[in-house]
Amino acid sequence: MSKNRRRPARGRHSTVRNVPLRTHWLLLTTLVLTLSAALLLQGYTQHLFDSRPDAEAREPVSAASVPEQIASGGPVIEGASGRAATPAPRTIALTFDDGPDPVWTPRILDVLRRNGVRATFFTVGTKVAENPGLARRIVDEGHQIGLHSFTHTDLGAASAWRRSLELRETQLVIAGATGVTTPLLRPPYSSTAKALGDAGWEAVVHAGQEGYLTVLTTLDSEDWRRPGAERIAANSTPKDTGGQVLLMHDAGGDRAQTVAALEQLVPRLKASGWTFATVGDAVALPGAVRPAATTDRWQGLALITAIRTSDWILEGLSWLLWAAGAVSLLRAVAVFVAARRHVRMRRKPWGPAVTEPVSVIVPAYNESAGIEAAVRSLLASDHPVEVIVVDDGSTDGTADIVEALRLPGVRVIRQQNAGKPAALNTGIAAASCDLLVMVDGDTVFEPDAVRMIVQPFANRRVGAVSGNAKVVNRGGLLGRWQHIEYVVGFNLDRRLFDLAECMPTVPGAVGAFRREALLRVGGVSDITLAEDTDLTMALCRDGWRVVYEERAKAWTEAPASLGALWKQRYRWCYGTLQAMWKHRGALTQRGQAGKLGRRGLVYLLMFQVLLPLLAPVVDVFAVYGLVFLDPVRIVGLWTAFLVLQVLMGLYAFRLDGERPGPLWSLPLQQFVYRQLMYLVVIQSVFTAVAGSRLRWQRMERYGSLQVPVTPPATAVPGPQPGMQPDPLPDLQPGPLPAPDPAYAAYAPDGGYDTAPAWDPYPHAGPQTPQHHIWPSDGPGGAYR
C-alpha cells in the first residue's frame, strides 16, 4: 500500500466542509475592470485622436461674440481678461505643433542647437506619454513647451468637461515627463486671431479661466501641405518688421521638408537682423515655465505609466486574440475533418458480432422521478441484459419503486449512502457478466443502445466505449442550448478523440466497460468529482483503447434551471481539472498513455481551460471594438464566427440525425450560455488553485423521461451455473494490452504512490485506506 496521503472515505467520521470562495470573484471583477479601464484609456487616447491637418479648409464660422480687440490684436491671448500681446518688432517666436515625434523632433532639435535658436513646442499629450524622453530634451535644451491638447481634438467643438480633461491630462503628462508645468496653449485647428470664431473664442475664454494663455499664429509656413523646402522657407519669411509667431510642425507625417527649410530659413533671417525667441521671451512673459508640484509630477508619471501599459496590453491582446482565433479555426477544421474520417471508419464492422449478455449497473440516489423509465428502457433492449440497481441510501423510495415493479432480470442492492463511485463499485462486484454498461438513473436507453455500445468489444484492445448521450428535455432556451452543446460540442469532440485515440471521458450517462479492465485499474475511484473522466484516463494509461459509438443512444435529463446547470457544470469542470492533474504523468509516457497525455490532456487544457479563461477578455475587447474601432468590421468578424458555428452545428446535427431547428437559438447562446460556461471554468480554476474542495451536489429531477413501450428482450436473471461468459472471449486475434510500466504504480485502490505536488484536498485531515471494489459505509454526497 502506498504511504502517501489519501482523501478519507465518505464515512460517518468524515468532517469535510465545503468552503465557498468569495475572493476569486472579487479578483475576477477587479481584473475585468482594470482591463476595461486600460482599454478605455487606450480607446480615448488612440481612437479619439483627431488626425486632420491643422490648417485644412473649413467652412466659414460666425465670429459675432469675438471682441474687436481680440480679432485685431496680437496672437498671445489671455481669455479671461480679453487682453492680447504681440512679439517685439523683428522678433520671431518659432513654434512647432503636433509632437514630439521620435523621428522628426530630434532632427529639428539638432538644427536649432546648431543655430543657437530657442523655440516653443506645442505638444500633444498622448505623444508626450509615448515619448517622454523627447519632452525632457525639449525642456533641457532651453526650449519652451506648451499644450496642444491631449488627443489633438478641436477644443471649440468639444464640451466643457472634455476641454478641461484635455488640458488637465496634457499638463499632467508634461509634468510627469519634464518636471515642469506651462500656461502656454495652442488649440488644435486654430490659426490667426482674425480667423477666430465664436466656438473658438469660447474655448479661449474657458482656457483663460483655467489659467492658460492661448498662443495663435501670425505666419503659417504651410509645411503641412509639403510644398517643398523652398516654398516653406518663403512662406515663413516675414513681409514687414512686426513681431511674428511662426507655425511649423515637428510631427504628423514626413517632415523632411520642414527640416530642410529650417536649415535655410534660420541663418537667412538671423543675417537679416531677426531674433528668434520663445513665446514667453517674445512677449516678455515672466515664468512661462514653472517647476511642477510634486503631486502633479507623480500623477503625471502614473498617467504616463497607465498609457504605456495600456499600449502594451492592447498589443498583447491583439496577438493573443489572433492566436486564439487561429487556434479556434484550426480546431474547427480538425474537428470537421476528424468527423468525416470517423464516419467512414465506423462503416467498417468492429469484428464478429458481440452477442454475450451484459450487466447494466444503475447507481441511484433519490431517482424516484425517473428510475422506472430508466429500468424499463434497459429491459426493452434487443440484447440480453441483467440490470443491477444499486440504491445508495436514497430517502425518496427509489429502491422500493424498483422492487415493486417485480421485473425479471432486475436486482436491487441497498447500501448506506457512500457516493456514486462506491455504488458503481458495488455493482461491479455483483455483476455476473464480463461486459458492463454503466448508466445514470436519469437516463433512458434506446432499444438497440446496449447492443450497439458493446460491439466495439470485438476488438480485444478496447477497454471502454462511450455512447451518445442526448438531451430529452429540450423545451425552452436552456434545454435547446444544452441540446446543441451535446450534439455539437461533446459528440464532435468525441469523434476527434476517438480518431486520435485519446478519449478523456466516457460519460456516466452511457458507457460500457470490460470488467477485467476495471479491475486492473482498481475500479472506480472517488479521488475526484469527475469519476467518469478519472476512470477513463486510468484505462487509457493502462493501455486500453477507449472509443466512441455514436449509434448507442441514450436520453438523459439536463438541468432545467441556471442554478442547477451551474452546479452540474461546476462539478464537472472542477472534477476534470482534478483528473487532469492526477493523470498529468501521461504527458511523458509512451503508448496509449502518451496519446492521452500529449493529445487529450493538451486539447482539454487549451480548449476547456485556457480559451475559456480568455472569454472575458474577448468580450471586453469586442465592446471596445464596437465603441472605438470600426463597428462594421467587428460585427463582420462576429458574424463570420457565428456562421462557422452554424455550419459546424448543421454538420453535427446531420451526423446525429437531428433536425436543425434548435440552431436558430445559436446566436443567443453566444451571449448568455457561453458566458455562463466560461464563468464556470473561471470559478473552477480559482477553486483548484485555492485548494478548496467541492462535494457531490444534488441535481433536481423533473420526471421528463418516458417509460418505453418496446417489448423487452430476454433478460439475464442473474448469476446462474453456466451463465458466466468466458472472461476473455477470443473475439479478435491479438494480445490484450499490457499494463503501461509507468502506470504500474497505480495502486489497487486507484491512487498513486507519489503524492501530487498540488493537493486537491488540503483540508481532508488524517487519511484512511479505501476499498473501491466493495461498498463503503457512512453518509456521502449526492450524485450531482
Side-chain angles (χ1 to χ4, degrees), residues 472-693:
V472 66
N473 50 330
R474 304 177 180 181
L477 278 177
L478 192 60
R480 290 189 183 94
W481 290 340
Q482 292 179 85
H483 171 44
I484 293 172
E485 182 183 29
Y486 271 64
V487 175
V488 180
F490 298 160
N491 290 344
L492 277 184
D493 276 349
R494 286 195 181 101
R495 294 175 189 272
L496 176 62
F497 290 139
D498 189 356
L499 203 64
E501 299 186 27
C502 61
M503 185 78 67
T505 305
V506 171
V510 51
F513 303 85
R514 287 189 191 274
R515 191 165 187 263
E516 186 224 0
L518 294 176
L519 296 178
R520 269 181 34 173
V521 299
V524 184
S525 169
D526 66 351
I527 294 297
T528 73
L529 290 183
E531 83 291 332
D532 47 5
T533 300
D534 185 9
L535 176 61
T536 307
M537 292 182 178
L539 293 171
C540 289
R541 295 190 66 186
D542 195 41
W544 296 96
R545 271 209 63 189
V546 181
V547 300
Y548 173 55
E549 178 50 76
E550 68 274 13
R551 295 173 296 177
K553 298 178 181 179
W555 299 84
T556 186
E557 278 192 325
S561 68
L562 288 177
L565 178 64
W566 176 275
K567 291 179 181 179
Q568 182 199 66
R569 298 310 172 86
Y570 187 17
R571 181 181 67 81
W572 284 6
C573 185
Y574 183 77
T576 298
L577 290 174
Q578 289 178 305
M580 290 171 64
W581 183 259
K582 177 180 176 182
H583 296 282
R584 67 193 184 281
L587 290 166
T588 58
Q589 292 180 242
R590 297 182 179 180
Q592 200 66 40
K595 293 176 182 178
L596 169 70
R598 290 182 289 278
R599 298 176 186 176
L601 295 187
V602 171
Y603 186 93
L604 292 178
L605 180 65
M606 288 183 60
F607 296 106
Q608 293 192 21
V609 179
L610 296 182
L611 281 182
L613 288 178
L614 290 175
V617 176
V618 174
D619 294 334
V620 170
F621 194 82
V623 175
Y624 168 84
L626 290 173
V627 175
F628 294 111
L629 302 179
D630 182 3
V632 175
R633 181 184 176 189
I634 298 299
V635 172
L637 289 174
W638 184 85
T639 303
F641 172 78
L642 182 61
V643 168
L644 178 63
Q645 296 290 101
V646 170
L647 291 177
M648 289 183 63
L650 289 172
Y651 185 61
F653 271 59
R654 178 185 174 188
L655 291 181
D656 261 29
E658 295 280 357
R659 294 180 179 179
L663 290 175
W664 69 264
S665 64
L666 195 58
L668 293 176
Q669 186 190 46
Q670 303 302 309
F671 288 108
V672 181
Y673 189 83
R674 183 174 65 95
Q675 317 303 325
L676 180 67
M677 294 300 101
Y678 289 160
L679 289 176
V680 165
V681 174
I682 291 169
Q683 175 153 346
S684 300
V685 171
F686 273 106
T687 304
V689 172
S692 298
R693 179 175 173 195

Side-chain angles (χ1 to χ4, degrees), residues 25-76:
W25 288 121
L26 177 61
L27 178 60
L28 176 62
T29 302
T30 302
L31 290 174
V32 171
L33 290 177
T34 301
L35 175 63
S36 301
L39 292 179
L40 184 63
L41 180 59
Q42 178 70 202
Y44 183 81
T45 58
Q46 299 299 322
H47 300 291
L48 293 183
F49 192 97
D50 197 336
S51 58
R52 294 173 297 163
D54 276 332
E56 73 172 4
R58 292 176 176 270
E59 296 181 0
V61 295
S62 170
S65 63
V66 181
E68 176 60 29
Q69 69 270 23
I70 296 297
S72 59
V76 181

Side-chain angles (χ1 to χ4, degrees), residues 16 121 212 214 226 357 415 438 440 461 516 553 582 660:
V16 176
F121 289 80
Y212 292 96
T214 299
R226 297 181 181 83
Q415 68 176 36
M438 298 181 185
D440 288 338
R461 293 181 58 236
E516 186 224 0
K553 298 178 181 179
K582 177 180 176 182

Side-chain angles (χ1 to χ4, degrees), residues 439-455:
V439 53
D440 288 338
D442 62 339
T443 303
V444 167
F445 271 38
E446 292 197 354
D448 62 348
V450 173
R451 174 169 55 86
M452 290 297 182
I453 203 170
V454 299
Q455 295 311 307

Side-chain angles (χ1 to χ4, degrees), residues 97-443:
D97 286 4
D98 296 350
D101 181 272
V103 175
W104 304 111
T105 302
R107 297 188 185 185
I108 290 174
L109 288 172
D110 290 342
V111 174
L112 298 178
R113 186 180 64 249
R114 287 195 298 269
N115 288 274
V117 170
R118 301 290 181 266
T120 304
F121 289 80
F122 290 99
T123 55
V124 177
T126 56
K127 299 288 187 180
V128 173
E130 293 171 6
N131 306 282
L134 282 177
R136 270 194 306 273
R137 180 181 171 185
I138 289 172
V139 174
D140 291 345
E141 294 188 1
H143 305 285
Q144 282 185 347
I145 194 166
L147 284 66
H148 199 47
S149 82
F150 195 66
T151 60
H152 201 267
T153 191
D154 186 348
L155 297 179
S159 60
W161 71 265
R162 188 172 180 189
R163 290 175 192 155
S164 297
L165 179 66
E166 291 277 328
L167 299 180
R168 176 59 179 165
E169 300 307 291
T170 310
Q171 189 74 271
L172 282 178
V173 293
I174 289 176
T178 67
V180 302
T181 59
T182 175
L184 303 179
L185 164 69
R186 172 167 290 159
Y189 309 108
S190 62
S191 56
T192 64
K194 187 176 181 179
L196 199 61
D198 292 336
W201 171 244
E202 182 182 351
V204 170
V205 172
H206 183 269
Q209 292 170 347
E210 296 198 5
Y212 292 96
L213 292 175
T214 299
V215 181
L216 304 180
T217 63
T218 58
L219 273 180
D220 185 357
S221 67
E222 298 189 9
D223 59 347
W224 53 275
R225 296 182 184 272
R226 297 181 181 83
E230 291 288 347
R231 188 62 191 167
I232 293 174
N235 292 338
S236 303
T237 302
K239 303 300 187 292
D240 53 39
T241 60
Q244 306 291 335
V245 176
L246 174 62
L247 171 63
M248 303 185 89
H249 296 84
D250 63 330
D254 188 342
R255 296 303 176 196
Q257 294 180 8
T258 302
V259 174
L262 275 177
E263 295 277 15
Q264 304 174 26
L265 178 69
V266 173
R268 183 189 306 167
L269 291 181
K270 290 180 72 175
S272 302
W274 284 87
T275 299
F276 288 90
T278 62
V279 170
D281 292 339
V283 297
L285 176 66
V289 175
R290 303 182 182 89
T294 302
T295 55
D296 285 347
R297 185 163 189 181
W298 281 109
Q299 288 180 41
L301 288 172
L303 181 56
I304 292 172
T305 301
I307 293 173
R308 302 187 77 174
T309 301
S310 69
D311 290 341
W312 297 333
I313 290 175
L314 185 64
E315 184 176 358
L317 285 180
S318 298
W319 283 104
L320 202 59
L321 292 177
W322 277 111
V327 170
S328 298
L329 181 60
L330 289 175
R331 172 181 177 266
V333 173
V335 168
F336 177 77
V337 172
R340 289 180 60 85
R341 291 189 60 186
H342 190 268
V343 169
R344 292 196 297 268
M345 183 175 67
R346 284 295 171 263
R347 291 171 182 166
K348 301 177 182 179
W350 289 100
V354 178
T355 58
E356 62 180 283
V358 174
S359 295
V360 183
I361 302 171
V362 186
Y365 175 74
N366 290 346
E367 299 284 0
S368 60
I371 192 65
E372 179 179 355
V375 171
R376 288 188 180 277
S377 75
L378 294 171
L379 290 180
S381 299
D382 59 7
H383 193 92
V385 297
E386 69 164 345
V387 179
I388 303 172
V389 177
V390 182
D391 184 85
D392 190 39
S394 297
T395 59
D396 66 346
T398 297
D400 297 334
I401 293 174
V402 179
E403 289 176 338
L405 297 176
R406 299 183 181 278
L407 297 173
V410 178
R411 282 189 287 160
V412 178
I413 300 176
R414 297 173 183 258
Q415 68 176 36
Q416 293 184 6
N417 180 246
K420 185 178 180 181
L424 289 171
N425 287 325
T426 298
I428 294 171
S432 63
C433 302
D434 182 61
L435 299 182
L436 310 179
V437 171
M438 298 181 185
V439 53
D440 288 338
D442 62 339
T443 303

